[in-house]
Amino acid sequence: MNIADYLAKAYPAPPCWALVADVYTAELGLPVNEYRTINNSVRAIAEAFRFALHASQHGFAQISEPQQWCVVLMGKSRSLGLHHAGVYVDGKVLHALPAGNLHQDLASLLDIYPVMEFWAR
């Protein structure tokens, strides 16, 4: 895997799940169905994540600690819910924002997204 390739890609809004699906398909050969939201609101995105992973329609199970290739769900508060996603790769989280893609350490992400869950397939 070349992290730089993913950092250079552009994903459609909201980009974070598109990056997760791209990584899972390209690197692991495991397709992750796209989810659809009615709009790009934080609550709609959180509901889509809840449907995609919490319902385990893709065979994901929640784990207590991050491991290579797990999906990382992030939220700014419990009331907003989990509204951002990335993939744990080489000890950091690869994630996409509208302004660009990052490969960021967990400590700095926890400052922004104090609510975090890890899901493995």
Side-chain angles (χ1 to χ4, degrees):
M1 171 182 205
N2 186 351
I3 297 289
D5 291 343
Y6 291 98
L7 295 176
K9 286 187 178 185
Y11 293 98
C16 58
W17 189 259
L19 180 144
V20 169
D22 186 21
V23 169
Y24 262 72
T25 301
E27 303 299 329
L28 303 175
L30 299 171
V32 176
N33 293 339
E34 293 294 325
Y35 71 83
R36 302 281 180 246
T37 60
I38 296 170
N39 58 56
N40 289 337
S41 78
V42 170
R43 292 194 191 285
I45 293 167
E47 184 61 32
F49 287 155
R50 197 169 293 111
F51 178 75
L53 290 179
H54 289 94
S56 294
Q57 75 179 34
H58 300 300
F60 285 90
Q62 189 172 3
I63 57 176
S64 61
E65 296 294 324
Q67 64 186 32
Q68 185 77 349
W69 305 116
C70 75
V71 173
V72 181
L73 294 184
M74 298 165 265
K76 291 188 177 183
S77 71
R78 293 236 178 257
S79 62
L80 283 176
L82 300 161
H83 57 272
H84 187 51
V87 179
Y88 191 77
V89 180
D90 297 336
K92 295 182 178 182
V93 180
L94 180 62
H95 63 113
L97 297 167
N101 307 333
L102 301 166
H103 191 220
Q104 193 169 355
D105 64 278
L106 276 176
S108 65
L109 272 173
L110 280 166
D111 289 340
I112 302 164
Y113 301 101
V115 180
M116 200 170 282
E117 291 181 0
F118 309 106
W119 292 78
R121 186 167 185 182

